[in-house]
Amino acid sequence: MDGEAGGAPEVHRSPAPRDFHFCPTDLYDSEGRLRLFPEEHTRTGRQVPAEMTGEPGGAAPGKAQSDLEEEVQELVDLYALGGGGEWGAELVDGSAPRVEVSEPRLHLSSAGAQRDWRLGAEAEDPGCLGWGAAGRDLREAYRYAHGRASEEYECYVIPEEEDEDEAALVFCVTCKAPVRACEVSDAHGEHEVTPLSKALESAKDEIHKNMFKLEKQIIEMENFANHLEEVFITVEENFGRQEQNFESHFNEILETLAQKYEEKIQALGEKKKAKLEALYGQLVSCGENLDTCKELMETIEEMCHEEKVDFIKDAVAMADRLGKFLNTETDVEISAQPDFEDQTLDFSDVEQLMGSINTIPAPSAPVINPQAPNSATGSSVRVCWSLYSDDTVESYLLSYRPVQDGSPGKDQAEFTMTVKETYCSVRNLVPNTQYEFWVTAQNRAGRSPASERAMYMTAPSPPVIKSKEIRSCEEAALICWESGNLNPVDSYTVELTQAESPEASGVTESVVGIPTREALVQLQPRQRYTIYVRALSVGGPSARSDPVTVCTTGSFFHLNQHTCHPGLTISEDGFTVVRSERKTPAKEPLPGNTRFTRCVAVMGNLIPIRGRHYWEVEVDERSHYTVGVAFEDVPKQEDLGANCLSWCMRHRLASSRHKYEFLHNGTTPDIRITVSPRKIGILLDYENSKLSFFNADISQHLYTFSCQLHQFVHPCFSLEKPGCLKIHNGISMPKHVTFY
């Protein structure tokens, strides 16, 4: 039916009530839900019972029928049912319509199971849905037909079409909720609102951004987890090595102590034996002397009891004996003191071993970082590394060697330097060169394994601007330079400083990403620019080149040495061409036929910009000269103006008579010039395809070619006889020229 509610099943009316329509209501109101599947009834179809149609068995007519009509009318008004009077009459007359539901699919979940239910008019149960008291059954039937959830089953309806009311919803940014369009002017009048579709897209974009951030965070966390795993393994290995180190050191200490114990015990035993032997010998000597003294005393006592004659005889002999004994020195000093000597034990080696127990094992391999942006100059790079463990490191050994042709050269010398920090600026390197770096950590216990190899590259050397090949006009300048590096670089950057004086500083514009060694830069007219060039590679940008100054006053160019005939000489400033009277030995022409061979001429390098270009040529009235323009591929064996690729003004002097010709494809118009020009002005106009010649001294127009300039042309100058031509360019265009 028209105007289906979003999320509600399609409802078909029976043929009786023609204008019977249901209006959408809240399908997910949690209050007042009908039990769709009572325990005593399991059918899905619903039909108005016969008792409500006035058939036998129904309620009695009279007041009940009047109440029924009022309740039916309330339902009709409440749900905006069309034809309310007819509908109520039909219910009372017994022709009540049957509410049918045309097979919407409901997803029901009960006890973890999902089932598809189809509601149809053929599944009827008259006794399941009666009108009952207060006439609520019609409302319950309506709720049932529109997918009201039961208390036993949680159900929702998949919408098949967009509701008109849902299409009218807008999103209130202030309240952050969808509202109906009709409510905006009331409660949300001053709030910021936006279409629901736009809000949906904005929410999707925000979710996508958050998902991107979440993915990035997941990657970072995974990397961090990998680092943690590496740290975990490293710590486990380090502690394992430390346990082995402790065990080894303690065993060594125990062996040393045992050895010292044996040495000390043996030394003490030897000292004890020596002392005891000395004391014992002294004790024996003392006993012998004591016995001798006692014997002498006893003998003297016996002599005292003898007769005088015998006493005198024995006394003389005893006196001699006593004299000898007393004269004998008796050692009464103890040779070995009983005091115990303080035995100082030298445990210095043991202390050293004990101190070495606290020494951690050799560190693990460092992790060298990839090269960071702008970390290099032309002669140095900054190398950084880190440790993913708790190792104690006393110093690092940073090694490096140059890389050639993408691989480290075996014959290349390696350099090593000792570093205390986890970074180092390595100097005295070759510009724009790749180097291979690796690092090891060391402490008192030893040296770690080497890290992974990392490639670093120095910045390029500053380019060298070819000042004599600069071409410019009022709108642009063509800058050419040499790389200044043996190895190729990635790109170049041109930096412009616009100032009144060359001393002014401040880059006002940069042209980046230039792949070749020249750049056509757009400029402002009548300004003065200081221009620098940088080279860029993986190692970063080079330093600035030496500056050059470009003025956008007019068209500026130099003469091209590669096109110059051997008989001509170009001055150092590149603006004067001279043909001397003496013959110049012929030179070998350059490959590609770029040099004039038959025609004694030279070309200038005009900037390839379409527009208007003006320059002047100072000439000698007595010289034979030709000036004009020509395509780059003009035949170098032919005279200028003799073909369709050049447009020229030629002057010849014959019998004191000046002859001027304006040549193109070998033809010239008949033009008489009364005043011989000493300075010829040339105007090249790409926009109007014209080439004009002027007498610059008197502001006189001489002639104008109408040219087919399908590609860029270059100024050309020729001297058929000895003479001189001086080019004036980079000058403002005179007023009289602007009219042509």
Side-chain angles (χ1 to χ4, degrees):
M1 59 180 267
D2 296 334
E4 289 295 336
E10 184 180 2
V11 178
H12 295 276
R13 57 183 175 82
S14 61
R18 296 293 180 182
D19 51 356
F20 174 55
H21 297 279
F22 284 109
C23 290
T25 59
D26 182 10
L27 300 182
Y28 303 101
D29 185 11
S30 60
E31 298 180 359
R33 291 185 176 177
L34 174 67
R35 289 184 60 87
L36 299 182
F37 305 101
E39 295 179 359
E40 64 273 18
H41 301 288
T42 58
R43 296 187 181 181
T44 58
R46 295 295 180 266
Q47 184 178 0
V48 179
E51 58 179 316
M52 298 305 303
T53 64
E55 294 182 0
K63 187 175 182 302
Q65 184 173 357
S66 176
D67 295 338
L68 177 61
E69 290 180 6
E70 292 178 0
E71 291 175 353
V72 170
Q73 185 62 37
E74 288 180 4
L75 290 176
V76 171
D77 295 338
L78 178 63
Y79 293 98
L81 303 179
E86 297 178 3
W87 168 247
E90 290 173 354
L91 286 174
V92 176
D93 294 340
S95 57
R98 183 175 60 190
V99 180
E100 298 179 354
V101 181
S102 62
E103 299 185 352
R105 176 165 297 180
L106 300 179
H107 294 271
L108 307 177
S109 59
S110 176
Q114 292 186 352
R115 301 162 59 186
D116 288 343
W117 294 84
R118 297 187 179 275
L119 307 179
E122 62 273 16
E124 301 176 358
D125 187 0
C128 178
L129 191 62
W131 285 86
R136 294 191 305 270
D137 297 312
L138 181 60
R139 181 180 298 182
E140 292 174 349
Y142 171 77
R143 290 180 176 178
Y144 174 73
H146 279 69
R148 285 288 188 177
S150 69
E151 297 176 358
E152 182 180 359
Y153 290 86
E154 180 185 357
C155 65
Y156 62 94
V157 182
I158 299 178
E160 298 180 356
E161 297 180 4
E162 184 180 3
D163 184 17
E164 294 178 357
D165 291 345
E166 183 178 349
L169 291 176
V170 294
F171 186 79
C172 179
V173 180
T174 305
C175 299
K176 296 183 179 180
V179 297
R180 296 185 182 275
C182 59
E183 300 176 0
V184 173
S185 59
D186 298 334
H188 307 272
E190 298 180 357
H191 295 179
E192 180 183 356
V193 295
T194 184
L196 190 62
S197 59
K198 185 177 180 181
L200 180 61
E201 292 298 327
S202 177
K204 288 182 178 179
D205 293 340
E206 186 68 22
I207 290 176
H208 290 163
K209 291 179 182 178
N210 293 333
M211 289 179 63
F212 176 76
K213 294 180 181 178
L214 186 60
E215 291 176 356
K216 185 177 180 181
Q217 185 173 0
I218 289 173
I219 294 175
E220 292 178 355
M221 293 303 296
E222 289 179 349
N223 294 334
F224 181 68
N226 293 334
H227 293 330
L228 284 179
E229 185 177 358
E230 293 177 359
V231 172
F232 182 87
I233 295 174
T234 303
V235 170
E236 186 179 15
E237 293 177 352
N238 287 344
F239 274 97
R241 291 197 301 267
Q242 198 164 4
E243 290 175 359
Q244 296 177 357
N245 190 29
F246 283 166
E247 184 179 358
S248 174
H249 277 74
F250 275 115
N251 290 335
E252 186 176 357
I253 290 172
L254 292 177
E255 292 177 359
T256 302
L257 289 175
Q259 182 179 358
K260 284 187 173 293
Y261 174 79
E262 295 293 336
E263 292 176 355
K264 290 297 182 181
I265 291 298
Q266 185 177 358
L268 287 174
E270 292 176 355
K271 287 183 179 181
K272 174 184 175 182
K273 180 180 178 182
K275 273 193 172 186
L276 292 178
E277 288 179 352
L279 290 173
Y280 180 77
Q282 195 172 11
L283 182 63
V284 171
S285 176
C286 183
E288 291 177 350
N289 289 334
L290 185 60
D291 291 342
T292 302
C293 288
K294 289 180 178 182
E295 181 184 356
L296 290 175
M297 287 296 295
E298 291 176 356
T299 301
I300 291 173
E301 289 178 357
E302 290 178 358
M303 286 175 58
C304 289
H305 297 296
E306 290 181 354
E307 295 292 337
K308 294 181 179 179
V309 176
D310 295 333
F311 176 79
I312 293 174
K313 293 180 180 178
D314 293 335
V316 173
M318 180 59 67
D320 294 337
R321 184 178 176 186
L322 285 174
K324 291 180 181 179
F325 179 77
L326 293 175
N327 290 332
T328 301
E329 184 178 357
T330 304
D331 186 10
V332 293
E333 295 290 334
I334 299 176
S335 60
Q337 294 297 328
D339 299 335
F340 183 78
E341 297 179 2
D342 186 11
Q343 299 292 329
T344 302
L345 301 178
D346 184 12
F347 287 103
S348 59
D349 50 351
V350 177
E351 292 175 355
Q352 184 177 0
L353 290 174
M354 292 293 292
S356 64
I357 293 178
N358 298 324
T359 303
I360 63 174
S364 57
V367 178
I368 192 166
N369 301 339
Q371 184 172 5
N374 301 325
S375 62
T377 65
S379 60
S380 67
V381 294
R382 181 181 173 88
V383 185
C384 301
W385 58 90
S386 57
L387 285 174
Y388 288 114
S389 63
D390 56 354
D391 293 341
T392 300
V393 178
E394 296 179 358
S395 62
Y396 298 92
L397 296 178
L398 179 64
S399 303
Y400 63 95
R401 61 182 175 183
V403 176
Q404 293 182 348
D405 300 329
S407 60
K410 296 181 179 179
D411 300 333
Q412 297 294 331
E414 295 184 2
F415 304 91
T416 302
M417 53 197 309
T418 303
V419 185
K420 291 291 185 179
E421 307 294 338
T422 57
Y423 58 88
C424 179
S425 293
V426 184
R427 307 184 185 278
N428 300 323
L429 302 178
V430 180
N432 200 34
T433 303
Q434 198 172 30
Y435 288 85
E436 181 184 44
F437 285 88
W438 64 96
V439 63
T440 57
Q442 62 181 5
N443 55 24
R444 287 179 295 172
R447 185 179 300 179
S448 73
S451 66
E452 296 289 337
R453 306 296 175 100
M455 297 298 177
Y456 279 66
M457 193 167 187
T458 53
S461 297
V464 180
I465 299 178
K466 300 178 182 179
S467 57
K468 291 188 177 182
E469 295 186 14
I470 293 177
R471 295 172 269 175
S472 64
C473 62
E474 291 189 351
E475 296 85 14
L478 181 63
I479 313 299
C480 302
W481 58 85
E482 292 290 344
S483 172
N485 297 275
L486 297 177
N487 298 323
V489 300
D490 296 337
S491 63
Y492 298 92
T493 298
V494 175
E495 298 178 353
L496 311 173
T497 300
Q498 180 179 344
E500 294 295 331
S501 61
E503 292 79 12
S505 60
V507 175
T508 58
E509 183 180 359
S510 295
V511 183
V512 300
I514 303 172
T516 59
R517 292 191 294 271
E518 65 177 25
L520 185 62
V521 184
Q522 300 295 324
L523 304 175
Q524 297 295 326
R526 295 175 296 279
Q527 298 294 330
R528 182 186 183 94
Y529 291 88
T530 303
I531 298 180
Y532 308 86
V533 179
R534 295 181 188 265
L536 282 84
S537 69
V538 177
S542 70
R544 280 180 168 181
S545 66
D546 293 334
V548 294
T549 302
V550 173
C551 298
T552 56
T553 308
S555 298
F556 178 85
F557 60 88
H558 288 86
L559 296 176
N560 189 352
Q561 293 274 5
H562 300 293
T563 64
C564 184
H565 187 276
L568 297 178
T569 303
I570 300 176
S571 62
E572 292 185 1
D573 60 5
F575 302 119
T576 303
V577 56
V578 179
R579 181 174 182 178
S580 58
E581 294 185 359
R582 62 184 182 85
K583 292 185 177 181
T584 304
K587 299 180 181 179
E588 291 288 336
L590 295 178
N593 297 324
T594 59
R595 186 186 294 271
F596 286 97
T597 55
R598 181 179 180 278
C599 178
V600 186
V602 64
M603 298 182 75
N605 282 329
L606 189 63
I607 185 170
I609 292 291
R610 295 190 176 273
R612 307 185 82 187
H613 302 275
Y614 178 79
W615 64 93
E616 295 176 351
V617 184
E618 187 177 338
V619 299
D620 187 354
E621 295 179 352
R622 295 167 296 178
S623 63
H624 294 221
Y625 60 84
T626 303
V627 295
V629 298
F631 289 113
E632 186 175 4
D633 56 349
V634 64
K636 304 302 188 294
Q637 299 80 17
E638 300 180 6
D639 292 334
L640 295 175
N643 48 62
C644 62
L645 301 178
S646 58
W647 296 262
C648 300
M649 173 184 174
R650 183 168 69 178
H651 169 259
R652 289 182 179 180
L653 182 62
S655 301
S656 300
R657 181 174 176 271
H658 297 277
K659 181 180 180 181
Y660 294 92
E661 297 174 304
F662 296 92
L663 297 169
H664 174 64
N665 208 13
T667 62
T668 179
D670 186 10
I671 295 179
R672 305 288 179 121
I673 297 177
T674 57
V675 180
S676 298
R678 299 177 64 99
K679 185 181 290 185
I680 301 173
I682 302 174
L683 174 64
L684 174 62
D685 189 351
Y686 279 104
E687 297 176 355
N688 299 310
S689 299
K690 291 182 179 181
L691 177 68
S692 301
F693 295 88
F694 302 88
N695 187 335
D697 292 331
I698 61 176
S699 303
Q700 180 186 16
H701 174 254
L702 301 178
Y703 184 74
T704 297
F705 285 103
S706 293
C707 314
Q708 297 296 326
L709 303 176
H710 56 276
Q711 59 184 9
F712 292 107
V713 293
H714 297 281
C716 53
F717 312 90
S718 176
L719 286 169
E720 299 180 9
K721 291 185 178 182
C724 175
L725 296 175
K726 188 173 183 180
I727 295 92
H728 298 272
N729 57 25
I731 58 179
S732 300
M733 194 177 301
K735 292 183 179 180
H736 67 272
V737 173
T738 59
F739 298 108
Y740 294 90

